[in-house]
Amino acid sequence: MGQSMPVSAMPVSSVRVTEVERITPRTARVTFTGDALPDVLEDRPDQQMKLCLPREGRSVLKLPEMDADDAHGMRWYEAYLAIPEAERPWTRSFTIRSHDRARGTMTVDFVLHGDTGPAARWGARARPGDVLGMVGPSSLYARPLRSAERMLLAGDETALPAIATLLEALPHGTRALVYAEVADAGEEVALPDAEAEVRWVRRDAGGSLVEAVRDAGAFGGAFGGAVDAAWVAGEASAVRALRRHLVQERGLPKAAVEFSGYWRRSLSQDDAPTSEDLAWAAERAAGSA
Ligand SMILES: Cc1cc2nc3c(=O)[nH]c(=O)nc-3n(C[C@H](O)[C@H](O)[C@H](O)COP(=O)(O)OP(=O)(O)OC[C@H]3O[C@@H](n4cnc5c(N)ncnc54)[C@H](O)[C@@H]3O)c2cc1C
């Protein structure tokens, strides 16, 4: 704690764990508090930020030092790279699942996908009192939902926190159809009571998000017919396949499909973007392809 936090488009602050709860066998819900949280938290769904995690063997967490307004939201990264590599924290992207600005608290759901990554490793061992850094959230990265009568929200476990906040904030009159891929029935987290139809896709039963959406006919059933817009996030190749399907086979306008690769199979968030990642990032930024 005690990190000074100048006013910035991409705030850097410290957060401290107050509570850890296993909400499913493979999801740890961690509650954080932080002096800066009342100022940096925003009242909108799908707030993304980066957590800074100490490298193994480091008890002191070194955070990027911000000394100027960060109009483009990237000065934090220059400051981050200026930290000597041995002391530089790992940074990993997360979603704020819930927050209470007045009390200065927030919760984050960590998918415990194994011991191969620093974030999942940390999440499995988190204890009250642990301190992490946080970069963001920032409205520079806000992705407002397109208004729609029928909205498809599709993703894997890593996207469930965002999907939950989006369901909580759905405009009146928007009906949501959720496709959520999880390891097994034990990972089906409670989603907010919204005007939503939720279809769980279980990997242990051979299910996959892409196939489930592809095979969903006209998204029939109670939902009744086509969707007007979609929000898709999760493993990058699945997200790309779904976006292609929705645009090319379902006829959704490109601008009506908000998509984001949250993780890449066999690659960590430290690995450089592949040429395919760069092409899709450009496409996302342009809002069309
Ligand atoms: C905007 C955004 C919001 C996100 N929100 C959340 C969130 O709220 N909760 C959350 O848990 N994750 C979230 N993620 C995904 C998370 O950032 C990645 O899963 C990240 O790779 C985890 O870091 P790590 O240190 O555990 O693994 P890394 O060091 O990045 O990767 C190590 C290995 O683990 C594999 N791996 C990474 N994630 C998974 C996974 N989910 N399942 C199986 N294998 C995996 C990689 O392929 C790699 O082989 C979000 C990502 C983005 C971009």
Side-chain angles (χ1 to χ4, degrees):
M1 305 293 286
Q3 179 85 8
S4 67
M5 204 223 36
V7 176
S8 153
M10 192 53 79
V12 177
S13 62
S14 297
V15 289
R16 196 183 67 248
V17 176
T18 58
E19 202 180 329
V20 182
E21 186 192 356
R22 277 292 164 101
I23 58 165
T24 72
R26 284 179 232 178
T27 312
R29 174 161 294 166
V30 180
T31 306
F32 294 94
T33 184
D35 294 344
L37 287 184
D39 296 324
V40 304
L41 292 172
E42 298 174 4
D43 286 323
R44 61 177 172 85
D46 192 13
Q47 292 187 70
Q48 310 173 356
M49 45 75 184
K50 285 183 188 292
L51 289 174
C52 303
L53 304 123
R55 286 191 185 238
E56 287 69 15
R58 293 261 153 200
S59 53
V60 178
L61 183 63
K62 195 142 176 66
L63 296 183
E65 284 174 22
M66 301 289 290
D67 57 6
D69 277 3
D70 185 16
H72 303 292
M74 284 312 288
R75 277 189 59 91
W76 78 269
Y77 192 61
E78 291 165 26
Y80 171 73
L81 291 181
I83 301 172
E85 198 172 345
E87 298 169 53
R88 205 179 289 157
W90 306 110
T91 62
R92 295 291 184 268
S93 301
F94 282 87
T95 306
I96 296 172
R97 169 61 192 92
S98 67
H99 67 279
D100 183 333
R101 281 181 72 176
R103 298 174 64 182
T105 59
M106 64 174 189
T107 64
V108 179
D109 289 354
F110 289 77
V111 175
L112 308 179
H113 58 81
D115 245 9
T116 50
R121 245 190 334 262
W122 182 88
R125 295 165 181 76
R127 295 277 177 275
D130 289 352
V131 174
L132 297 184
M134 180 167 83
V135 180
S138 169
S139 46
L140 281 179
Y141 292 92
R143 301 181 300 159
L145 271 188
R146 199 182 148 103
S147 68
E149 265 178 49
R150 290 176 299 245
M151 168 82 57
L152 171 70
L153 301 167
D156 61 25
E157 290 96 332
T158 61
L160 285 172
I163 289 175
T165 65
L166 291 167
L167 287 175
E168 283 162 355
L170 273 189
H172 185 68
T174 299
R175 286 188 299 154
L177 173 61
V178 178
Y179 273 83
E181 182 193 296
V182 292
D184 53 44
E187 297 304 311
E188 295 178 7
V189 298
L191 287 173
D193 251 357
E195 224 180 310
E197 186 172 319
V198 181
R199 300 187 182 169
W200 294 101
V201 180
R202 298 179 194 145
R203 287 191 293 276
D204 70 332
S208 94
L209 188 65
V210 178
E211 281 169 20
V213 173
R214 267 194 195 134
D215 296 347
F219 296 128
F223 199 75
V227 295
D228 316 300
W231 182 101
V232 186
E235 194 279 319
S237 63
V239 168
R240 288 168 190 160
L242 274 180
R243 201 257 184 165
R244 272 193 206 105
H245 166 72
L246 291 167
V247 171
Q248 293 173 5
E249 287 155 49
R250 302 263 182 185
L252 258 70
K254 288 168 184 161
V257 184
E258 181 60 59
F259 63 101
S260 183
Y262 274 11
W263 60 281
R264 299 172 297 167
R265 203 166 294 289
S266 309
L267 292 173
S268 86
Q269 279 194 357
D270 297 317
D271 289 312
T274 61
S275 51
E276 205 181 10
D277 293 331
L278 291 172
W280 281 85
E283 195 173 311
R284 241 189 111 214
S288 63

